[in-house]
Amino acid sequence: MPDDSSVHFGQARQRIDGRAKVTGAARYAADEQVADPAFAYLVTSAIACGRIRRMDLSQARAVPGVLDILTHENVGQQAAPPPQMDPTDKTTETLESDRIWHDGQIIAIVVADSFEAAREAANKVRVTYAQERPAATFDSPGATVEVRKETARWKDPKVGDFAGAFAAAPVKVDARYSTPTQHHNALELFSATCSWDGPRLTVYEPSQTMHGNKNNLAAQLKIDPAMIRCVSRYVGGAFGSKSLAAHTVWIAIAARRLGRPVKLVPTRDQGFTIRTYRAETRQHLQLGAGRDGRLIALRHEGWEVTSRPSHFNVSGAMSTTRMYACPNIETRVNLVHADRNSPGFMRAPPDTPYMFALESAMDELAVALDMDPIELRRINDTRTDPTNGKPFSSRSLMQCYDQAAERFGWSRRDPRPGSMRDGDWLIGWGCATACYPSNIGAAAVRLSLTAQGKATVALAAHEIGTGAYTLVAITAARGLGLKVEDITVLLGDSDLPPVPIAGGSNNAASTGHVTDMACKEACARMAAAAVAAGDSPFHGTDSAGLRLENGMLVGDRGAEPLAKALGRVTGGVLEIHSEFVPPGSAPTALQTLYKGVSAFVGGTGRQDVTAFAFGAQFVEIRIHRRTRELRAPRIVSAFASGTIVNATTARSQYMGGVIWGLSSALHEKTELDLRSARYVNDNFADYRIPVNADTPSVEIIMVPEQDTRVNSLGIKGIGEIGIVGMNAAVANAVYHATGKRVRDMPVRVEDLL
């Protein structure tokens, strides 16, 4: 790390929590110590649809060490319905009744003195079911389809006359695509530890929404949220899965019944059904263009699987319709209700599946036009949102393509399918657009500054592996003129001031702005006191011209030590509580924030601009001509995401997304037994993920971009954009290598035989 105290955005800095993580000192939720804990083990349903007729607990209760067994019969009415992804939606239940909504549903919880005893007893619970035939997915008998209703949140963009324009278009692409069910599978499991101290409950649980968990759990338990404290200092991967859990309330109830703490660490396979996942999609994409390549018509229709009661959907056409200039647009989203657990948000929830269809279709259009796919995108690049005419706050898409293409060597590409070879290996080069809306939300922070030049920044933000501790420390050091080492950051505790959910790639923008605001307030207070003091070199000057730098209050007339400047404001520690509300937020943004409800501004929801980050994905695919074995020896990806706070963690986030995009294209698929509506490969042995050998070379280019219209610091989120478009880039490369168009993810050897 730099020796001087000058801190600027964009420098490459080590994580301040890095040593704690690699030495095991960082405490994850299941690591938190509580006195004399009991251990819980989940019993999950063996059928996907029906009811529980009878539960025989006699053998389970006979296991030495068993303390309690929770079922719908003894605790079913002690909790309000489970939390939902959307407050207006419904979701499947757990112990509330005898109804079975999906395979792997929680139907009982065994609590014992040891984990081993709880597990043994759980395996001895005997359940008799009244089984009904389940509907697993698309086309399953009994699955129902409905057109998704538009809401304030979910819109179906429509402009002009698609049908007429498409009919008249001289060049057309009309194709259907699909993406599979995928599960988050973060390394850290979905643990929960609950401990009561009289009427007060403490919950240790990996969380992306500290105040959301606190308020939702309070509603379920029907107690004051002030009586609940949620702690999640570190999260071992989340990707959308660690927001609101249905099982936590039952662990809290178990702890209350026993009068001692209860700890739950579910198994890997249980994680497939007790939390959310990326739902499978089917998509119909139609493009019409002139012979010059300019888009005339675009229609994107999607079908998404959800559970029986839920209307959750991700609605990715809200992104795809904004990528390229087109005067005639039509979209629609359909929901398919099946006997499955409710899906949810998973890294770039709408963009990963829906951009696959658009970017594959754009490649197909380029082939039909005999045009370079980069040139096709250049022709259709736009400075305004085609769905509403608003300007983009910034749009560096073609800069990303140009830099990545040059580094990749795209000019050497022979466009003829199957034309590039290396011995027995067919070589394919593909590219695709990456994008993600730029969001920001209301947030609050508590800042403490001492005369010795030490600061503490406290806010209920979330370290989900993205480097949040370091980002906040850099922002505070920059604003206070201190070294990063002089900043202490406190996160992951619902007793701290609230911030939005760590989702929608808003974390850096939201926490960065509220931290910067607190620092500016600290500087303003010292500056105001300095210009009013007769012993100050700044007496009588304009306080707006003063700043904090290198541990000094600095202005045109010189500088004075921080201790002296601070001493005029307080005799001890300067304490500041700041609340940030982004321009354009609802009047109730702060009120709802303290109630655990996040509301973002940005993306497609702003009145003045459309705010997105953009990128370009390039991949080389090699396919053995005999065995059809696939390899991805190199990837080059370029992204433009406004202000970069920490180049080190930014590169890491981009790279992680890119690798997961490759995984989405070649590896990941949750397999379903269509007869039983059961996940088959619910483990790390059979659920395929990439390893180092699958990704020998991943090069990340960070394209400089300044965007003062997106927000005052110019920060755009980077956590999710990296995954977007890579699945299409791979499919496009496969076509270039073989001449075979794969429209169903993931690409398998059998698709190429």
Side-chain angles (χ1 to χ4, degrees):
M1 299 183 68
D3 294 331
D4 63 80
S5 61
S6 178
V7 176
H8 304 284
F9 285 162
Q11 295 176 340
R13 292 186 175 271
Q14 296 175 358
R15 294 172 182 255
I16 63 173
D17 55 341
R19 181 177 295 274
K21 285 187 170 181
V22 299
T23 60
R27 292 205 305 273
Y28 292 81
D31 300 329
E32 298 283 359
Q33 297 297 307
V34 293
D36 190 28
F39 297 87
Y41 199 94
L42 302 178
V43 179
T44 58
S45 64
I47 67 168
C49 185
R51 292 191 177 274
I52 298 172
R53 280 183 175 171
R54 180 173 177 270
M55 299 186 77
D56 182 356
L57 308 179
S58 57
Q59 294 183 53
R61 292 192 187 280
V63 173
V66 169
L67 303 171
D68 199 1
I69 301 178
L70 281 62
T71 71
H72 69 278
E73 294 176 337
N74 59 6
V75 299
Q77 303 306 310
Q78 294 183 23
Q84 298 137 26
M85 300 303 296
D86 186 319
T88 62
D89 198 11
K90 295 180 180 179
T91 190
T92 54
E93 296 178 344
T94 48
L95 302 184
E96 289 82 0
S97 72
D98 63 353
R99 174 74 182 269
I100 301 297
W101 294 94
H102 61 86
D103 177 70
Q105 175 183 315
I106 300 171
I107 58 174
I109 300 175
V110 177
V111 186
D113 280 327
S114 69
F115 171 82
E116 292 77 10
R119 179 179 58 188
E120 179 183 350
N123 288 326
K124 291 185 175 181
V125 172
R126 299 291 176 256
V127 185
T128 304
Y129 300 99
Q131 186 171 359
E132 301 170 20
R133 182 180 180 181
T137 184
F138 302 117
D139 303 328
S140 294
T144 60
V145 183
E146 65 169 320
V147 177
R148 194 279 321 276
K149 297 178 179 63
E150 287 192 284
T151 66
R153 181 176 187 176
W154 305 123
K155 299 290 186 182
D156 294 326
K158 184 175 182 180
V159 178
D161 174 18
F162 165 79
F166 186 73
V171 183
K172 300 182 178 72
V173 171
D174 190 331
R176 294 180 182 271
Y177 306 88
S178 73
T179 61
T181 301
Q182 295 173 334
H183 278 77
H184 305 80
N185 275 315
L187 284 178
E188 182 192 26
L189 297 168
F190 300 114
S191 66
T193 302
C194 294
S195 177
W196 292 87
D197 182 7
R200 295 187 61 85
L201 171 64
T202 300
V203 180
Y204 300 101
E205 180 176 37
S207 175
Q208 294 176 250
T209 171
M210 302 305 303
H211 280 256
N213 272 7
K214 171 180 177 175
N215 282 273
N216 274 278
L217 192 54
Q220 285 190 276
L221 291 169
K222 301 173 185 176
I223 62 177
D224 186 344
M227 305 306 292
I228 297 179
R229 179 190 179 205
C230 294
V231 179
S232 177
R233 295 182 176 90
Y234 295 94
V235 180
F239 316 115
S241 66
K242 287 171 179 170
S243 52
L244 305 176
H247 60 255
T248 310
V249 68
W250 304 116
I251 304 304
I253 288 173
R256 187 168 59 186
R257 283 163 64 94
L258 289 178
R260 66 190 277 195
V262 174
K263 177 175 289 192
L264 168 72
V265 181
T267 62
R268 174 65 58 186
D269 63 308
Q270 289 172 345
F272 277 70
T273 60
I274 66 173
R275 296 298 278 265
T276 59
Y277 58 96
R278 193 192 300 282
E280 58 263 53
T281 73
R282 287 180 176 175
Q283 299 170 58
H284 184 198
L285 204 292
Q286 296 168 287
L287 296 177
R291 298 200 181 278
D292 61 357
R294 298 188 185 278
L295 290 175
I296 299 170
L298 184 157
R299 185 176 188 275
H300 198 170
E301 183 171 10
W303 289 260
E304 303 178 24
V305 167
T306 189
S307 66
R308 287 293 184 189
S310 176
H311 289 84
F312 177 84
N313 62 97
V314 295
S315 230
M318 293 176 66
S319 291
T320 58
T321 52
R322 291 173 161 87
M323 286 304 99
Y324 306 111
C326 185
N328 301 285
I329 295 171
E330 186 176 291
T331 62
R332 186 166 77 172
V333 174
N334 307 278
L335 300 182
V336 178
H337 294 276
D339 299 300
R340 300 270 294 284
N341 51 320
S342 296
F345 300 111
M346 183 168 168
R347 198 174 199 169
D351 311 272
T352 298
Y354 278 78
M355 284 292 288
F356 165 66
L358 175 66
E359 290 303 292
S360 295
M362 286 292 285
D363 199 74
E364 297 197 46
L365 180 60
V367 171
L369 290 163
D370 193 22
M371 181 181 291
D372 184 89
I374 300 177
E375 186 60 25
L376 176 63
R377 290 168 173 86
R378 193 184 310 279
I379 288 172
N380 290 286
D381 194 26
T382 176
R383 311 307 299 178
T384 59
D385 184 333
T387 70
N388 54 32
K390 292 187 295 186
F392 285 98
S393 65
S394 63
R395 182 178 167 103
S396 303
L397 176 62
M398 294 319 300
Q399 291 92 318
C400 292
Y401 267 105
D402 291 341
Q403 292 192 31
E406 182 179 2
R407 192 77 60 86
F408 190 80
W410 187 261
S411 61
R412 302 192 304 273
R413 176 181 182 265
D414 185 332
R416 296 171 299 162
S419 61
M420 297 175 65
R421 300 194 175 206
D422 180 8
D424 283 339
W425 293 90
L426 308 176
I427 301 174
W429 288 1
C431 66
T433 293
C435 69
Y436 199 77
S438 301
N439 298 307
I440 190 171
V445 69
R446 186 168 66 243
L447 170 67
S448 302
L449 179 62
T450 72
Q452 293 73 37
K454 305 293 184 181
T456 299
V457 186
L459 63 172
H462 317 86
E463 170 46 49
I464 58 176
T466 56
Y469 280 97
T470 310
L471 180 141
V472 171
I474 290 171
T475 306
R478 173 181 176 270
L480 297 173
L482 302 175
K483 295 181 180 180
V484 171
E485 295 88 339
D486 293 327
I487 310 296
T488 299
V489 180
L490 304 178
L491 306 179
D493 190 328
S494 67
D495 282 354
L496 303 177
V499 303
I501 186 173
S505 290
N506 86 94
N507 209 20
S510 303
T511 60
H513 276 79
V514 74
T515 301
D516 185 64
M517 174 184 285
C519 295
K520 286 178 177 176
E521 185 177 343
C523 181
R525 289 195 193 182
M526 284 183 276
V531 300
D535 65 340
S536 169
F538 311 117
H539 177 66
T541 64
D542 183 1
S543 62
L546 304 184
R547 63 191 183 279
L548 292 170
E549 189 175 289
N550 296 325
M552 310 283 282
L553 184 64
V554 179
D556 291 339
R557 291 189 183 178
E560 68 176 5
L562 174 66
K564 189 168 184 179
L566 188 65
R568 297 192 188 97
V569 181
T570 175
V573 177
L574 177 59
E575 295 273 1
I576 291 175
H577 182 94
S578 289
E579 295 175 333
F580 169 73
V581 181
S585 298
T588 58
L590 272 177
Q591 180 183 358
T592 57
L593 176 70
Y594 279 89
K595 292 181 179 179
V597 179
S598 301
F600 299 147
V601 178
T604 62
R606 286 179 48 158
Q607 297 299 314
D608 55 341
V609 296
T610 293
F612 270 78
F614 292 95
Q617 311 270 27
F618 285 76
V619 63
E620 177 179 310
I621 293 294
R622 292 185 170 222
I623 301 172
H624 196 276
R625 69 181 184 89
R626 294 181 182 274
T627 66
R628 285 334 203 203
E629 176 185 355
L630 285 91
R631 288 284 180 261
R634 65 189 184 103
I635 295 169
V636 176
S637 300
F639 304 98
S641 301
T643 300
I644 298 298
V645 178
N646 183 0
T648 297
T649 52
R651 181 178 180 275
S652 174
Q653 283 296 291
Y654 284 138
M655 182 178 288
V658 165
I659 293 171
W660 206 0
L662 181 73
S663 180
S664 172
L666 296 178
H667 298 265
E668 288 188 66
K669 181 181 180 181
T670 306
E671 301 287 354
L672 268 168
D673 183 332
L674 299 182
R675 298 164 301 174
S676 62
R678 169 174 287 188
Y679 301 130
V680 177
N681 56 333
D682 53 354
N683 53 69
F684 269 168
D686 301 316
Y687 187 91
R688 296 184 59 202
I689 58 175
V691 296
N692 288 348
D694 293 307
T695 55
S697 175
V698 179
E699 187 170 357
I700 302 299
I701 302 170
M702 290 186 276
V703 177
E705 181 182 68
Q706 291 186 341
D707 186 348
T708 56
R709 291 199 287 183
V710 69
N711 52 60
S712 61
L713 295 178
I715 296 174
K716 296 180 176 182
I718 62 174
E720 296 175 88
I721 187 175
I723 190 175
V724 181
M726 181 52 70
N727 47 13
V730 169
N732 297 339
V734 167
Y735 172 80
H736 180 230
T738 65
K740 180 159 186 176
R741 184 68 64 177
V742 179
R743 300 187 180 96
D744 306 304
M745 288 285 100
V747 183
R748 297 292 199 224
V749 170
E750 52 266 32
D751 298 324
L752 305 176
L753 292 175

